[in-house]
Amino acid sequence: MLVDCHVHLLPPRRLAGLMKWMHSFYPQHPVPRDVTLEQCLGHYHALGVDYLFNLVYPLRLGETEEVNRFNFELHRRHPWIIPFGGLHVEDEAKAAIVDRCLGEWGFLGFKFHPFVQRFDPLDPRMMDAYARLEHWRRPVFFHTGFEDFYGGNLPPETMEELARRFPKLPVVFAHSLFPRFDDAFRMVARYDNVWLEMTQVFGSFFDSRYVLKEYEGAKELLLEGLGPHSERIMFGTDHPTGSGTLEEVYQALDRAGLSETLRERLVGGTAVKFVERFWPDFTTRLPKKPRA
Ligand SMILES: [Zn+2]
């Protein structure tokens, strides 16, 4: 099973903005600046992905409904696209937004990006949203790590505090606190509600076009810790802003030389079990993406 746990298929205006931003950092990025949603879907068709998690989030106040409705409609047209919702730190009635996305619109969970959405995960205004997600026992993805790239600061202690305050809220550390994998592995071992995912991580070590800088000992730490924690580690691509084309992102993963069992868990095995925790019948209810 192939499940891409981290994808950004967005409304046309937002997709164009995302690609412009990506090309400003990586002018040689092989996914064209004017790539369309249909072309991105074609990339998944070519690769034979079974499911993907589509992560949307508003950048501005007033954008929440637009991005969530887009994800709902995308899921309705393509049931193999598993939607995650977003909201803005200044949105009113956050519990109602969570209820609508998870109830009426059938989303699996939510995604937050503290750097680009400009908020502190422990901001008191966010607590209603976390409490409501915890009430539903549904997962929340947080962007973590890559602080040098974003010029941001999100200490591991912040994420630890969140996991501790909401013990029944499944929290996924997107990018696994890159490059602080020691903290990430420590927390996944310590907290039942913490999950990791390795989006952008392999490209940052195994694709020279996307290596920001050398982090002493980080690659070794990563390769040692993956195996023991693989039942709670997923893999995603960040397509269309991953480390290369969709195919190249998987090629970078292959250069890590993981065992067959470990690779199988990362690229889909763990994600299937993750989704089944929340939607036990999902593989029969939601048909996989048809094969090319
Ligand atoms: Zn992303």
Coordinates of all heavy atoms in Angstrom, one line a residue, residues 1 3 34 65 106 162 176 204 219 230 236 254-255 276:
M1 N 0.9 -1.2 0.0 CA 0.0 0.0 0.0 C 0.9 1.2 0.0 O 1.9 1.3 0.7 CB -0.9 0.0 1.2 CG -2.0 0.9 1.2 SD -3.5 0.3 0.3 CE -4.5 -0.3 1.7
V3 N 0.8 5.2 0.6 CA 0.0 6.3 1.2 C 0.9 7.5 1.4 O 1.8 7.5 2.2 CB -0.7 6.0 2.5 CG1 -1.6 7.1 3.0 CG2 -1.5 4.7 2.4
D34 N 3.8 26.7 -13.0 CA 2.4 26.9 -13.3 C 1.7 25.5 -13.3 O 0.7 25.3 -14.0 CB 2.3 27.5 -14.7 CG 3.0 26.7 -15.8 OD1 3.6 25.7 -15.5 OD2 2.8 27.1 -17.0
E65 N -13.0 29.0 5.3 CA -14.1 28.3 4.6 C -13.7 27.9 3.2 O -14.0 26.8 2.7 CB -15.4 29.1 4.7 CG -16.4 28.6 3.7 CD -17.8 28.4 4.3 OE1 -17.9 28.7 5.5 OE2 -18.6 27.9 3.6
G106 N -16.6 15.2 6.6 CA -15.9 13.9 6.5 C -14.4 14.0 6.5 O -13.8 13.2 5.9
L162 N 2.2 20.4 24.4 CA 0.9 20.2 23.8 C 0.5 18.7 23.9 O -0.6 18.4 24.2 CB 1.1 20.6 22.3 CG -0.2 20.8 21.5 CD1 -0.9 22.1 22.0 CD2 0.1 20.8 20.0
S176 N 9.2 15.7 11.7 CA 9.9 15.1 12.8 C 10.9 16.0 13.5 O 12.0 15.6 13.8 CB 10.6 13.8 12.4 OG 9.6 12.8 12.0
S204 N 16.5 16.1 2.2 CA 17.5 17.0 2.8 C 18.8 16.3 3.1 O 19.8 17.0 3.5 CB 16.9 17.5 4.2 OG 15.7 18.2 3.9
K219 N 22.0 12.6 10.3 CA 21.6 11.5 9.4 C 21.7 10.2 10.1 O 20.9 9.3 10.0 CB 22.5 11.5 8.2 CG 22.0 10.6 7.1 CD 23.1 10.2 6.1 CE 23.5 11.3 5.2 NZ 24.5 10.9 4.2
S230 N 9.2 2.6 14.0 CA 8.5 2.6 12.6 C 7.0 2.4 12.7 O 6.3 2.7 11.7 CB 9.2 1.6 11.7 OG 9.1 0.3 12.2
G236 N 5.7 11.3 3.8 CA 5.0 12.1 2.8 C 5.9 12.8 1.9 O 7.1 12.8 2.1
D254 N 14.7 6.0 -1.3 CA 15.4 4.7 -1.7 C 16.9 4.8 -1.5 O 17.6 3.8 -1.2 CB 15.1 4.3 -3.1 CG 13.6 3.8 -3.2 OD1 13.1 3.4 -2.2 OD2 13.1 3.8 -4.3
R255 N 17.5 6.0 -1.6 CA 19.0 6.1 -1.4 C 19.4 6.0 0.0 O 20.5 5.8 0.3 CB 19.4 7.5 -2.0 CG 19.5 7.5 -3.5 CD 20.4 8.6 -4.0 NE 19.7 9.9 -3.9 CZ 18.9 10.4 -4.8 NH1 18.5 9.6 -5.9 NH2 18.3 11.5 -4.7
E276 N -6.9 3.7 10.1 CA -7.9 2.7 10.6 C -8.2 3.0 12.1 O -9.2 2.6 12.6 CB -7.3 1.3 10.5 CG -7.5 0.8 9.1 CD -6.8 -0.6 8.9 OE1 -5.9 -0.9 9.6 OE2 -7.1 -1.3 7.9

